[in-house]
Structures are given as structure tokens and as C-alpha cells.
Amino acid sequence: MLFPFLARPLLAGLTAIWLLLGSALPAWAEFSLPPLPYASTALEPAIDATTMTIHHDRHHGAYVANLNGQIAANPALADLSLDALQGQISAFPMAVRNNGGGHWNHSQFWAVLAPAGQGGSPSPELLAAINKNFGSLEAMQAQFNQAAAARFGSGWAWLIRKPDGSLAITSTANQDNPLMDLPGIERGVPLLGLDVWEHAYYLKYQNLRPDYIQAWWSLVNWKEVNGRWVKAKLPS
Ligand SMILES: [Fe+2]
């Protein structure tokens, strides 16, 4: 039995050697919780610091821990990136679907947000695509808001780039997302995803989900969304 203070550096060293040898990640390589890219207070007043801290540290943290808890029973997880897992999720049990989806969804969620006034605006190219598909930015937002408000129970609203290159608004239940190879999912590359689980807003907004949705738009990190749009157009 290794002393705890020796075990972590030893594992880190073994991981580095393994990667240098070009092998797939070993079974003891785990998924990790990304830090928030800003302070927990940075999105106030639209999203309060307490909600951000609980949401990131406890909820997202639990998805990561629970996903790692599935590796022993599902060793194929060790060979998949978090992105790749989404497209093969049907091959795994529900616990991997829920927690693997939860990890991916929340990782994108923090990244598509920025403090108010710092997120920029849609690029001319993305705006042209939005105008072509929805008529206007406002019309896209109205359709997105409707999908987010109408999602019964817990889930997500998404702006996606479909395989045919068009943009669409869709919604998924629980921790599913548009990358998943599941029946009933409108598939595409997510450009922007909104968490409408009550844990995302209830402390401040209680039952007023539409108010949360409206305030959330002031936080969208369009610089990140623009980059996702460019990347989504690249051949896979
Ligand atoms: Fe969440």
C-alpha cells in the first residue's frame, strides 16, 4: 500500500510515460472537473455566486465523480475522450449517459458564458447563418427561449449546426445532448447550450424560469460561440 502522498505523483508520472509512448489512456486515467474560467461572482447579478459555486463544485463535480466511478465497470471509457463518448453513448448504461452527458454539458456551459459586456457579439459569418435560418438574431433567440421554457422538467436548450450545415434550435431532457447517438435526439454540433435544470437558477429566480433565460442572454460568450461555429464547419 503506497502512502497517499506518494500515490498521486507516481500515478501522474506513469500517465506521462504512457502518453509519451502513444498508448490509449489507461483505466486509471480519470475525467476531471475543469475550473470555472472566471470568478464565481463574475456573472452577477444575472447568476449569483452561490448558485455558481454550488452548480459548478457540487453538481458538475458530482457528474465527474460519478462518471469516474463507472470506469471500472465500463473499461471502454478509458479509451474515449469526453467528446467521443457522446457519439457512442448508446453503447453504455444509463449511469454513463447521465454523468457523461452531465460532464460534457456543463463543461460547454461554463465556456459559453462570460461576464456581462465581455462576450462580444455574433461574428458576421455566424450572424449571416442565423439570419438565413431564422430570419434574424431576435427570431432565433425567441425560438431558443421557447424551447428552453417549454422543456418539461430538467434539460437543456441548444443552438446546433445540423449535419446538412443548417442551424436549428432543439432541446434535450435530463443530461442528454445533440451529440448523442440516441433515438429522439435531433443531432448536430452544439454551438450554445442553456441549462434549465432548477439547480441552475432556483435560488435566485425560483419558479420564474423565463426571467432566468432572459437574463442569461446578457452573459453569452459570443466569442466562444463564433469559434464553435467555425470549428463545426470543418470536416470531421
Ligand atoms: Fe446544471
Side-chain angles (χ1 to χ4, degrees):
M1 181 68 184
L2 288 166
F3 292 107
F5 64 86
L6 287 177
R8 187 177 296 273
L10 180 59
L11 284 178
L14 288 171
T15 302
I17 293 169
W18 199 293
L19 291 174
L20 283 171
L21 292 173
S23 302
L25 286 173
W28 33 262
E30 297 192 330
F31 298 96
S32 59
L33 177 65
L36 281 176
Y38 31 68
S40 61
T41 55
L43 305 186
E44 289 189 336
I47 302 180
D48 58 284
T50 304
T51 294
M52 286 299 291
T53 300
I54 294 173
H55 197 178
H56 175 268
D57 296 3
R58 299 190 200 171
H59 289 278
H60 190 176
Y63 294 124
V64 174
N66 292 336
L67 180 60
N68 285 333
Q70 289 294 314
I71 294 176
N74 301 278
L77 282 174
D79 296 323
L80 289 173
S81 68
L82 185 61
D83 282 347
L85 170 62
Q86 309 307 307
Q88 303 176 37
I89 208 75
S90 65
F92 292 90
M94 186 60 80
V96 173
R97 173 176 167 179
N98 288 337
N99 292 293
H103 184 18
W104 193 94
N105 293 349
H106 286 84
S107 296
Q108 72 81 36
F109 186 63
W110 314 128
V112 296
L113 299 180
Q118 296 184 24
S121 56
S123 66
E125 294 78 13
L126 177 58
L127 190 57
I130 289 172
N131 289 338
K132 177 181 177 185
N133 286 270
F134 302 99
S136 67
L137 177 62
E138 292 72 24
M140 183 278 284
Q141 290 176 309
Q143 191 173 328
F144 189 103
N145 292 350
Q146 171 63 23
R151 164 52 55 192
F152 184 77
S154 299
W156 293 75
W158 305 94
L159 171 66
I160 61 171
R161 181 185 188 272
K162 295 170 68 173
D164 66 4
S166 64
L167 293 175
I169 302 295
T170 189
S171 173
T172 54
N174 302 316
Q175 294 298 354
D176 292 346
N177 66 54
L179 294 173
M180 292 181 169
D181 61 334
L182 296 169
I185 300 265
E186 183 173 18
R187 299 187 72 185
V189 178
L191 306 180
L192 178 62
L194 168 59
D195 188 345
V196 293
W197 281 59
E198 286 187 345
H199 69 222
Y201 65 86
Y202 208 83
L203 284 179
K204 182 178 175 71
Y205 295 94
Q206 290 83 51
N207 60 318
L208 303 177
R209 186 191 287 183
D211 289 0
Y212 157 68
I213 296 168
Q214 198 60 47
W216 173 83
W217 280 110
S218 69
L219 305 173
V220 169
N221 183 359
W222 286 106
K223 298 171 188 172
E224 172 71 17
V225 178
N226 293 336
R228 289 176 181 220
W229 166 244
V230 170
K231 190 176 175 187
K233 290 190 292 183
L234 298 173
S236 55

